[in-house]
Amino acid sequence: MNQDCLFCKIINNEIPSDRVYEDDQVIAFNDINPQAPFHVLIIPREHISTTNDLTSENANLLGHMILTAKNIAAENNLSDPGYRLIMNCNEQGGQTVYHIHLHILGGRQLRGLG
């Protein structure tokens, strides 16, 4: 845990969040600044600052994050119409909180990236 990290504070219940799912590896909650009608973040309980800090030891965690996203999307009727998964890395990649997180976006036609 990083005591200065916003997401670590959410994990420790120091900052409230609108949680939609949690287990022993991850927590999922509604984004406070949604970019689509459905916008949920999945964060690992383990503090990993950026995707650049990932190692092969994190492969199971990343797979779990993606499968959790798939299940959350299905529970919210997004599977058939579609949804987007995004992970940002560092400043130019759009990362604003330095604790890896997976965005699930859906609920409308999403524009192309670029």
Side-chain angles (χ1 to χ4, degrees):
M1 290 289 156
N2 179 329
Q3 293 183 351
D4 296 325
C5 173
L6 173 70
F7 288 168
C8 287
K9 290 178 180 180
I10 288 173
I11 292 164
N12 290 327
N13 293 310
E14 297 171 34
I15 295 175
S17 63
D18 184 11
R19 295 183 185 197
V20 298
Y21 177 82
E22 65 182 294
D23 63 27
D24 62 330
Q25 295 183 73
V26 299
I27 295 173
F29 55 91
N30 288 307
D31 193 296
I32 61 169
N33 184 25
Q35 302 299 304
F38 185 89
H39 189 169
V40 165
L41 300 179
I42 299 174
I43 62 172
R45 289 182 184 272
E46 175 185 356
H47 181 86
I48 302 168
S49 295
T50 75
T51 57
N52 290 334
D53 299 306
L54 293 166
T55 68
S56 59
E57 293 177 5
N58 302 119
N60 287 337
L61 173 62
L62 290 171
H64 181 69
M65 290 174 71
I66 292 170
L67 290 174
T68 299
K70 177 198 77 132
N71 293 338
I72 291 170
E75 290 166 4
N76 288 276
N77 301 312
L78 296 174
S79 297
D80 287 337
Y83 55 95
R84 181 176 290 164
L85 301 179
I86 298 174
M87 289 185 87
N88 300 320
C89 183
N90 283 329
E91 183 178 354
Q92 287 191 10
Q95 186 173 8
T96 57
V97 177
Y98 286 83
H99 183 125
I100 64 167
H101 50 287
L102 181 63
H103 297 258
I104 311 169
L105 298 133
R108 67 168 167 81
Q109 178 63 53
L110 298 171
R111 294 181 296 276
L113 300 175

